[in-house]
Amino acid sequence: MQIETPSKKSISFEDFKTEVLKDYKTAVTSRECSLLGRREVLTGKAKFGIFGDGKEIPQLALAKAFKNGDFRSGYYRDQTFMMAIGELSIENFFAGLYADSSIENEPMSAGRQMGGHFGTHSLNEDGSWKNLMLQKNSSADTSPTASQMPRLLGLAQASKIYRNVDGINAEKFSDNGNEIAWGTIGNASTSEGHFWETINAAGVLQVPMVISVWDDEYGISVHARHQTTKENISEILKGFQRDEENKGYEIIVVNGWDYPALIEAYEKAAEIARGSHAPVLIHVRELTQPQGHSTSGSQERYKNEDRLAWEREFDCNVKFREWVIENNFSTQEELEKIDQEIKKQVRDGKKAAWTAYTQPMVKKQKELLPLLINAAESSGKKDAILSLKNELAEIKDPIKKEILIAARKSLHYLIGSNSDAKTKLIAWIDAYTSGSQRIFSSNLYSESNQNALSIKEVKPTYSNDARGVDARIILRDNFDKIFETYPETLIFGEDTGKIGDVNQGLEGLQNKYGSLRVADTGIREATILGQGIGMAMRGLRPIAEIQYLDYILYALQTMSDDLATLQYRTKGKQKAPLIVRTRGHRLEGIWHSGSPMGALVHLLHGIHILVPRNMTKAAGFYNTLLEADEPALVIECLNGYRLKEKLPNNFGEFRTPIGVVETIKEGTDITLVSYGSTLRLVEEAARDLEEVGIHAEIIDVQSLLPLDINKDIVKSIEKTNRLLVIDEDVPGGASAYILQNILEVQNAYLHLDSKPQTLTAKEHRPSYGTDGDYFSKPSAEDIFEKIYGIMNESDPEQYPALK
Ligand SMILES: Cc1ncc(C[n+]2csc(CCOP(=O)(O)OP(=O)(O)O)c2C)c(N)n1
Ligand SMILES: [Mg+2]
């Protein structure tokens, strides 16, 4: 018998039945995991649970349309999809719930993320790319609602670049740009700015992005009437609908319990997005939450009985089951049998996951107990140690923390004693602690041999008659060389394309390399960043330009939550070697001369933050970064583009090392540490100080994250015995961060004869105009006086008071 399937392709009834029953089993497995998962939390075996129950059926349809090479960028409801594409087993699901820190057991994040945060592995053990065309890909989820959206745009845009830019080796990443980036988002999260920014940008860019809105009418307890105009996201997006005259979106509305309609919707969406690269929005309505939002609350508090009854009736699994029986794919009895088998499978999988999670720690517990007994024997406080031991022995499935508490506390009772048993105990504690610490702290930065710190310095070279040119020329000629050498590089931002950026560091390059590689974007910093992240995750080398440093705050959430955590949250299984280019520090006015470096340093651990003092240094950083596999933020000096710099003759080759400081003036009396635009003022003050007999040594840190990896600053302080850190951030900002490193990491306090100090901008934003700048930021006079004051205090006879 032949039937007309939703795919409109005629396949045999038997084949279709097999597929339907496979889907049924996945839906039931997923639901059973959710039900048991909640129990695991309520009985205390897991901390928190957020599950995909009530969203199963549309995810089966999505999985059918999802092909190798495609990417998902979604959120915590998508367990059924992950199961359907074969990337999440029952054991993996429970390992995630328990926070199992083994990447083999918990491949999503090695227990670093809450359960329900999904990702696949893009990288081999050595950090190199896998062939992403041979697998189904999911970018690693983040918890902030809608934070998946900016990245989704870039994942989709990569297909457009691969389809339309020649010369890129796409083998591992694309087949002529046929890949779709599939987004998922909850109805309530469409209230976020990131959603709207991404929707508009994808419409403008016309990229193969299919975004599904899972609409269950609620965002935790808050109903759609408080979230969405007209309580209907597809209704209010109607203006985006494409038509004969205008490009735009295809918008599809479908009920989340209607299996055949869903399959048809997803097939249609895939055809449009793959073929024409038009974005598609699928509004999946009438979804439910059988167990409520998460384990931290109960929906009976905010849903009335009518709503709860409706949800029971329209539960997508219930409806699917009815459809399966009505259409003779199976019988009530057969399905009951399947249900029972699956219940058992899930129970068994759960048990296996618990055993795999707990066994290594039980082993450690067993190892430790005799060590504690021996240590007790050698201690004057035997009973205290034995009682710690007994408490530990009674714990059935101990976690690392409980084991280490017993071990480490026992050392309190061994202070002053010496014994073989104590030595053995200490060695055991140290080994277990450091091994465990790595489990939780590795991979913040790249650990491959392409990590940025391993790229060695290459100095710029100059011909004998090298002229001084406007510094922006150096950037431009270096970018030219970069685009010529690396076909996979592209740069985009506000005014980046046609005019070649506001300071013309890219002058003429759009004409040369085309408007896809040197591109103008809308004014939308978060999605400029997201474009970069997504494209970098698919093998391209994007440079995302943020026009001014002050405006990076719009992109900061995406940088901090997504880009900076990517390597860490996947334990090195995904990477986005994105370069973010911006310009800042000093010009004029509250929003064109900010230097919020402390804030950035604090929020962006995981990204290298580079602060070149001139454009040759900046160009050298770009060259270094393109050899590396890590993200970085490069802040050019806003007031430096028209200053003269000598023209190098090895463009594309010279490399500024990352994390290495440079002494730019030698001196014996005091060490001055600074970076970026401020250095020119520090140099000016230092020249004036020479005239009064003070010889300052100036160190340019060049790189704030990481900072002075060779600990060179302390070597200078050993000589000068005095330290002043100068910058344009607020008091206690980046200068305090630098000071902490010098004093605590480099132990410079051992060599200081004067109080270490900082000189910073005022607490407020810099006021407009030349005088505004003079009274807001440290001036050469401020710097001179501060240093003179330090010298006067140390030797008033040699340096009599200035005032
Ligand atoms: C930026 C941000 N704000 C708040 C939260 C807390 N939070 C987690 S889920 C959620 C509701 C999301 O609702 P919806 O998007 O409709 O997805 P659903 O859970 O209903 O599938 C909220 C407010 C968060 N994770 N991120
Ligand atoms: Mg919702």
Side-chain angles (χ1 to χ4, degrees):
M1 169 192 172
Q2 301 279 306
I3 64 154
E4 191 71 357
T5 71
S7 70
K8 300 199 176 66
K9 281 179 270 161
S10 280
I11 58 169
S12 75
F13 180 80
E14 281 311 313
D15 285 351
F16 188 51
K17 179 177 164 179
T18 308
E19 206 174 315
V20 168
L21 287 183
K22 187 167 163 253
D23 279 346
Y24 179 81
K25 286 176 190 167
T26 308
V28 174
T29 305
S30 175
R31 176 64 60 89
E32 201 53 34
C33 283
S34 302
L35 298 174
L36 265 195
R38 188 175 172 91
R39 285 236 298 272
E40 291 300 272
V41 177
L42 300 183
T43 58
K45 275 160 84 184
K47 285 249 148 154
F48 174 73
I50 189 149
F51 305 116
D53 49 312
K55 315 280 188 298
E56 289 91 344
I57 306 305
Q59 294 180 29
L60 296 169
L62 164 54
K64 278 187 208 304
F66 199 97
K67 298 262 183 298
N68 279 2
D70 285 2
F71 257 90
R72 163 191 170 274
S73 182
Y75 79 117
Y76 50 77
R77 296 286 180 216
D78 295 346
Q79 71 195 45
T80 314
F81 167 79
M82 294 302 287
M83 289 175 176
I85 63 164
E87 291 293 331
L88 185 76
S89 67
I90 297 169
E91 287 81 358
N92 296 156
F93 173 90
F94 284 99
L97 201 59
Y98 300 141
D100 190 331
S101 57
S102 146
I103 190 100
E104 286 75 31
N105 299 341
E106 204 289 270
M108 303 297 131
S109 75
R112 290 177 177 191
Q113 294 226 66
M114 285 173 168
H117 290 65
F118 307 109
T120 49
H121 295 186
S122 302
L123 304 179
N124 296 310
E125 250 345 274
D126 65 358
S128 61
W129 290 108
K130 290 182 166 196
N131 187 335
L132 305 186
M133 294 304 293
L134 300 179
Q135 59 185 45
K136 298 189 164 69
N137 302 285
S138 172
S139 59
D141 294 351
T142 40
S143 294
T145 53
S147 62
Q148 69 272 34
M149 293 300 294
R151 171 192 344 126
L152 174 65
L153 180 67
L155 291 168
Q157 197 192 0
S159 290
K160 181 156 183 152
I161 300 296
Y162 282 119
R163 185 173 287 182
N164 297 296
V165 175
D166 293 334
I168 310 175
N169 180 357
E171 197 189 329
K172 293 180 176 172
F173 307 105
S174 182
D175 171 17
N176 194 34
N178 285 332
E179 305 72 33
I180 295 175
W182 301 87
T184 66
I185 189 165
N187 58 297
S189 302
T190 64
S191 307
E192 292 279 9
H194 281 356
F195 174 81
W196 293 96
E197 196 178 308
T198 305
I199 290 291
N200 178 52
V204 170
L205 290 171
Q206 289 292 296
V207 288
M209 174 181 115
V210 180
I211 174 78
S212 298
V213 180
W214 303 148
D215 190 347
D216 57 15
E217 280 188 43
Y218 282 83
I220 311 184
S221 66
V222 182
H223 187 260
R225 67 181 161 274
H226 303 293
Q227 304 276 6
T228 308
T229 308
K230 301 186 181 179
E231 301 180 29
N232 187 333
I233 193 67
S234 52
E235 177 68 23
I236 57 172
L237 283 170
K238 270 187 175 160
F240 284 79
Q241 174 66 48
R242 60 187 188 151
D243 55 34
E244 261 111 66
E245 272 143 50
N246 293 300
K247 290 185 170 170
Y249 273 75
E250 188 61 30
I251 297 176
I252 299 172
V253 182
V254 60
N255 287 330
W257 44 262
D258 189 344
Y259 177 76
L262 284 160
I263 294 178
E264 193 170 329
Y266 277 88
E267 254 180 29
K268 181 177 168 197
E271 202 177 303
I272 293 168
R274 265 187 235 289
S276 67
H277 276 185
V280 182
L281 179 125
I282 308 182
H283 183 190
V284 183
R285 308 190 64 184
E286 302 203 354
L287 288 168
T288 67
Q289 293 184 337
Q291 302 189 104
H293 174 78
S294 72
T295 52
S296 52
S298 114
Q299 58 182 344
E300 284 72 23
R301 280 191 298 162
Y302 48 82
K303 286 182 185 166
N304 64 28
E305 196 33 59
D306 283 353
R307 170 75 197 183
L308 291 169
W310 179 87
E311 289 204 13
R312 280 190 294 276
E313 187 185 343
F314 282 83
D315 178 326
C316 60
N317 278 16
V318 170
K319 284 265 169 215
F320 181 37
R321 197 175 198 279
E322 287 166 10
W323 181 86
V324 169
I325 296 169
E326 273 164 24
N327 288 278
N328 296 323
F329 292 108
S330 189
T331 60
Q332 180 83 14
E333 296 70 42
E334 261 173 25
L335 293 185
E336 255 158 36
K337 207 164 144 243
I338 292 175
D339 292 351
Q340 289 314 316
E341 275 164 21
I342 289 175
K343 268 188 204 305
K344 181 170 173 345
Q345 270 172 26
V346 173
R347 264 200 318 271
D348 291 350
K350 184 204 77 164
K351 269 193 208 131
W354 181 254
T355 307
Y357 166 59
T358 51
Q359 275 320 294
M361 294 181 287
V362 169
K363 196 168 151 241
K364 282 287 162 188
Q365 177 194 32
K366 289 201 175 123
E367 244 175 55
L368 178 62
L369 294 176
L371 295 177
L372 289 178
I373 294 169
N374 291 346
E377 293 304 330
S378 70
S379 160
K381 293 177 178 156
K382 182 176 167 182
D383 289 348
I385 295 178
L386 284 180
S387 114
L388 283 170
K389 182 228 110 193
N390 291 338
E391 275 169 35
L392 177 62
E394 271 166 33
I395 303 176
K396 184 159 168 279
D397 291 309
I399 57 171
K400 293 183 174 69
K401 178 179 172 180
E402 290 162 329
I403 298 169
L404 279 167
I405 286 175
R408 293 168 76 181
K409 274 198 171 168
S410 69
L411 288 184
H412 302 183
Y413 303 112
L414 292 164
I415 292 172
S417 77
N418 272 321
S419 68
D420 191 37
K422 181 178 171 183
T423 310
K424 282 195 177 127
L425 179 61
I426 291 172
W428 187 94
I429 291 171
D430 288 350
Y432 194 37
T433 310
S434 63
S436 302
Q437 192 64 59
R438 232 196 99 61
I439 287 174
F440 295 100
S441 298
S442 71
N443 299 93
L444 178 58
Y445 296 94
S446 167
E447 298 186 4
S448 82
N449 56 15
Q450 264 189 292
N451 76 76
L453 305 194
S454 65
I455 311 296
K456 294 278 169 287
E457 177 170 20
V458 176
K459 291 214 168 8
T461 55
Y462 300 92
S463 57
N464 290 337
D465 57 349
R467 350 171 239 131
V469 294
D470 281 359
R472 61 128 192 143
I473 301 286
I474 293 173
L475 280 173
R476 184 196 64 188
D477 291 359
N478 194 68
F479 277 126
D480 190 2
K481 192 76 193 171
I482 284 174
F483 291 125
E484 187 187 306
T485 316
Y486 303 94
E488 64 277 21
T489 50
L490 54 151
I491 189 162
F492 44 90
E494 296 151 20
D495 302 291
T496 299
K498 199 170 176 61
I499 63 166
D501 91 45
V502 280
N503 296 95
Q504 293 197 287
L506 298 160
E507 184 192 14
L509 298 187
Q510 187 180 66
N511 280 343
K512 200 163 170 187
Y513 296 103
S515 57
L516 280 174
R517 290 188 67 197
V518 182
D520 284 320
T521 66
I523 307 176
R524 45 174 182 74
E525 287 76 10
T527 44
I528 290 173
L529 234 294
Q531 273 175 269
I533 296 173
M535 287 197 279
M537 292 179 84
R538 289 190 60 196
L540 296 168
R541 289 310 309 260
I543 304 173
E545 188 170 308
I546 300 296
Q547 195 160 69
Y548 297 104
L549 178 61
D550 306 72
Y551 305 132
I552 209 164
L553 268 60
Y554 276 71
L556 198 51
Q557 185 277 327
T558 299
M559 289 180 79
S560 182
D561 288 327
D562 197 354
L563 185 60
T565 65
L566 182 65
Q567 288 248 359
Y568 177 77
R569 74 179 192 266
T570 60
K571 208 177 183 197
K573 295 299 179 195
Q574 293 187 5
K575 65 179 173 184
L578 164 65
I579 299 171
V580 183
R581 176 192 187 210
T582 187
R583 47 191 74 86
H585 302 317
R586 205 172 261 242
L587 200 67
E588 301 215 331
I590 298 182
W591 281 280
H592 293 90
S593 48
S595 190
M597 298 315 304
L600 295 180
V601 163
H602 297 320
L603 285 169
L604 297 179
H605 283 265
I607 298 176
H608 297 308
I609 301 187
L610 311 172
V611 280
R613 69 177 178 276
N614 60 37
M615 302 308 158
T616 308
K617 290 280 174 188
F621 275 136
Y622 295 123
N623 295 337
T624 302
L625 291 167
L626 284 165
E627 291 296 302
D629 65 356
E630 301 197 66
L633 167 64
V634 181
I635 301 162
E636 296 164 10
C637 294
L638 192 40
N639 57 2
Y641 295 104
R642 308 277 156 190
L643 300 177
K644 299 289 181 212
E645 288 182 38
K646 224 164 52 159
L647 194 71
N649 59 11
N650 58 342
F651 284 115
E653 287 163 26
F654 60 89
R655 294 184 193 138
T656 313
I658 289 173
V660 179
V661 306
E662 186 178 338
T663 304
I664 57 174
K665 175 187 174 302
E666 301 214 348
T668 48
D669 293 325
I670 185 165
T671 299
L672 308 179
V673 177
S674 190
Y675 59 88
S677 302
T678 324
L679 276 167
R680 281 191 283 282
L681 299 169
V682 174
E683 285 181 284
E684 187 185 331
R687 278 193 296 274
D688 291 349
L689 285 160
E690 287 289 335
E691 288 174 16
V692 295
I694 295 170
H695 311 296
E697 180 144 308
I698 305 176
I699 295 180
D700 176 7
V701 300
Q702 306 199 84
S703 153
L704 286 172
L705 265 180
L707 182 70
D708 192 9
I709 54 173
N710 300 324
K711 300 186 182 170
D712 285 328
I713 297 174
V714 71
K715 292 172 201 154
S716 167
I717 297 169
E718 278 173 29
K719 186 171 68 175
T720 64
N721 310 115
R722 272 175 266 281
L723 168 67
L724 179 67
V725 180
I726 307 122
D727 84 347
E728 302 184 14
D729 195 2
V730 292
S735 61
Y737 158 79
I738 294 172
L739 196 62
Q740 179 268 344
N741 182 296
I742 300 172
L743 294 181
E744 218 172 272
V745 182
Q746 306 194 27
N747 285 330
Y749 68 95
L750 294 169
H751 311 287
L752 287 172
D753 290 340
S754 296
K755 181 173 83 171
Q757 294 195 51
T758 62
L759 178 63
T760 66
K762 297 289 181 289
E763 265 184 275
H764 52 76
R765 301 278 182 112
S767 184
Y768 179 56
T770 305
D771 278 349
D773 174 81
Y774 191 76
F775 284 93
S776 301
K777 296 223 168 181
S779 64
E781 291 68 44
D782 293 333
I783 300 168
F784 179 101
E785 288 165 18
K786 184 85 175 175
I787 296 165
Y788 193 87
I790 294 172
M791 299 310 291
N792 161 259
E793 191 192 64
S794 74
D795 188 348
E797 265 178 43
Q798 195 176 346
Y799 307 105
L802 192 67
K803 293 187 258 189

